[in-house]
Amino acid sequence: MRIKRQMVGVAIASVLLAPNAWAQRHLTALDVVTMKSVSGAYPSPDGTRIAFTRSEPRGPADTPGSAYSGLYLLNADGTERPLIVGKRNVGGVSWTPDGTAITFLDRREGDAGRQLYALPIHGGEAVRVFEAERGIVQYRWRPDGKAVAFTVREALPAQRVAARALGFRQTVVDEDWAPVGLRLWVEAAHAETRLAVPGSVFDLQWSPDGARIALALAPRPLVDDSYMFKRIHVVDVASGAVRQLVDNPGKLGAFRWSPDSRRLAYVSAVDVRDPHAGMLYLADVGTGAITSLTQELEGMVHAVEWRDTERLRLVISRGVESRVTDLDLRNGIWNDLPGGEFAIQQVVTAGSTVAAVFF
């Protein structure tokens, strides 16, 4: 078997670019267990830099656990700068909306669970943005950079806590769980508040106007619920009111707000028997009206983002090929971007820059 020596990379350009030259050689068993890979790419708001994470398997002398994850920065000229490396597990990478710092989740000495840290782009040490009482599962910056919505694992029921205190510490699969709740931290108050939601939060996205948060909610934070029972809800942040927007059948994929905060594009299964979430839909947030955008697509949609109020950028697959394509909502025309020779894992656009992670 012959492989491309650099299995995963990051491209930065106005279109997808391939490396100039990739050496070819035989794959070995050592390659498989030591292979490093880019696990995520995160362009700065102005598109001049890309933060990315690189996954590195643990070595024979390391304790058991998941692969290490380091944080790096790629400049527009192609130079790479390590930011946080070594035996670390950086996750949840993002940028502050003003582009002055890269933020990430990490657990450091004295932290109660994973916390949100910010690393200034022009130098300096990473500092904790605020202290979340129960740690952070995932987070999203409000578009103005003055607040953070994040999720936490709630406390176990009092009965279960009391049982553990008496020595009953066994884990009952699919029964010993606590909800994943929603919190809001506002810089002006420098405090976190709880937003009550009916179920557990699997994903969250701020509306561009900062007034609402779209959530993927399921009754329980369990594997079966994550596959079949996630539904899109919308939270009005000012009032705390929650309403279900989409009653998608079965599996739910990615969802994103339109730039004018009026619509949500989302990926869903066609029905409960569909084995994948692969069809694209548009939900009007005001009326709840749903429009199917891929009835004629002989393939699947894997990722979605908005280019403007009338254009979507998608990662799709047709047969065994993956492509990045733009869909014009005004006329239904699909426009494939260059880069069809790669298996695309992730694409993120910032201005005229397209960051792609590919196999």
Side-chain angles (χ1 to χ4, degrees):
M1 179 186 297
R2 300 184 68 81
I3 64 165
K4 292 175 179 176
R5 186 168 186 174
Q6 183 178 344
M7 294 297 292
V8 182
V10 173
I12 176 173
S14 57
V15 296
L16 300 178
L17 295 180
N20 291 330
W22 287 11
Q24 301 278 330
R25 67 174 177 80
H26 291 285
L27 177 69
T28 69
L30 184 61
D31 288 330
V32 175
V33 298
T34 61
M35 191 176 296
K36 301 178 183 179
S37 62
V38 172
S39 50
Y42 313 92
S44 60
D46 63 3
T48 60
R49 300 177 177 89
I50 299 176
F52 68 95
T53 50
R54 178 177 286 141
S55 177
E56 180 177 353
R58 292 180 180 240
D62 293 326
T63 57
S66 59
Y68 298 118
S69 179
L71 179 63
Y72 300 79
L73 187 66
L74 186 69
N75 296 311
D77 61 3
T79 57
E80 176 185 314
R81 176 156 59 103
L83 300 177
I84 301 175
V85 296
K87 298 183 178 182
R88 307 292 295 275
N89 285 288
V90 174
V93 177
S94 183
W95 289 78
T96 54
D98 63 6
T100 61
I102 300 171
T103 60
F104 57 92
L105 296 178
D106 198 4
R107 185 169 188 172
R108 301 188 174 187
E109 186 176 355
D111 287 344
R114 301 187 91 186
Q115 301 289 340
L116 178 60
Y117 284 85
L119 182 65
I121 194 63
H122 296 299
E125 295 294 325
V127 295
R128 191 171 63 192
V129 177
F130 63 94
E131 184 175 9
E133 182 181 358
R134 302 193 60 80
I136 298 174
V137 178
Q138 59 177 315
Y139 71 96
R140 298 287 186 272
W141 283 97
R142 195 169 69 187
D144 65 359
K146 302 297 184 181
V148 176
F150 62 99
T151 60
V152 302
R153 297 194 184 280
E154 304 285 12
L156 289 171
Q159 184 178 8
R160 183 63 185 139
V161 174
R164 285 189 173 185
L166 293 174
F168 294 94
R169 301 181 180 275
Q170 71 278 8
T171 297
V172 182
V173 176
D174 285 354
E175 293 185 17
D176 191 19
W177 58 269
V180 177
L182 181 64
R183 299 287 192 275
L184 179 67
W185 175 82
V186 180
E187 183 181 33
H190 207 76
E192 66 178 81
T193 57
R194 179 176 180 268
L195 297 175
V197 295
S200 288
V201 182
F202 281 86
D203 194 6
L204 65 156
Q205 300 289 335
W206 279 99
S207 62
D209 63 10
R212 291 165 292 185
I213 305 172
L215 306 172
L217 285 180
R220 305 168 300 174
L222 305 178
V223 173
D224 285 350
D225 289 50
S226 73
Y227 278 118
M228 296 301 297
F229 304 121
K230 292 185 297 187
R231 302 293 183 265
I232 298 178
H233 290 65
V234 175
V235 180
D236 182 279
V237 176
S239 67
V242 184
R243 65 183 175 95
Q244 182 173 323
L245 177 65
V246 176
D247 187 18
N248 52 285
K251 298 176 176 63
L252 175 68
F255 54 95
R256 296 291 184 270
W257 288 90
S258 62
D260 58 9
S261 301
R262 297 175 58 187
R263 295 175 291 178
L264 271 173
Y266 67 96
V267 181
S268 169
V270 174
D271 55 45
V272 295
R273 295 175 296 277
D274 195 339
H276 299 286
M279 295 294 103
L280 181 65
Y281 298 86
L282 202 61
D284 186 296
V285 179
T287 67
I290 305 297
T291 303
S292 174
L293 299 176
T294 48
Q295 288 180 329
E296 305 302 321
L297 176 66
E298 294 183 356
M300 290 178 56
V301 177
H302 301 276
V304 56
E305 63 177 1
W306 290 81
R307 297 293 294 119
D308 54 45
T309 56
E310 298 299 335
R311 288 186 302 159
L312 294 167
R313 176 156 291 169
L314 312 169
V315 177
I316 67 170
S317 61
R318 301 186 187 102
V320 297
E321 295 183 349
S322 62
R323 298 301 299 259
V324 179
T325 187
D326 287 348
L327 172 61
D328 193 319
L329 299 177
R330 294 163 296 190
N331 52 31
I333 294 177
W334 299 72
N335 178 34
D336 288 351
L337 275 67
E341 64 271 28
F342 298 111
I344 307 295
Q345 181 181 3
Q346 177 198 10
V347 170
V348 185
T349 305
S352 60
T353 296
V354 179
V357 178
F358 50 90
F359 293 103

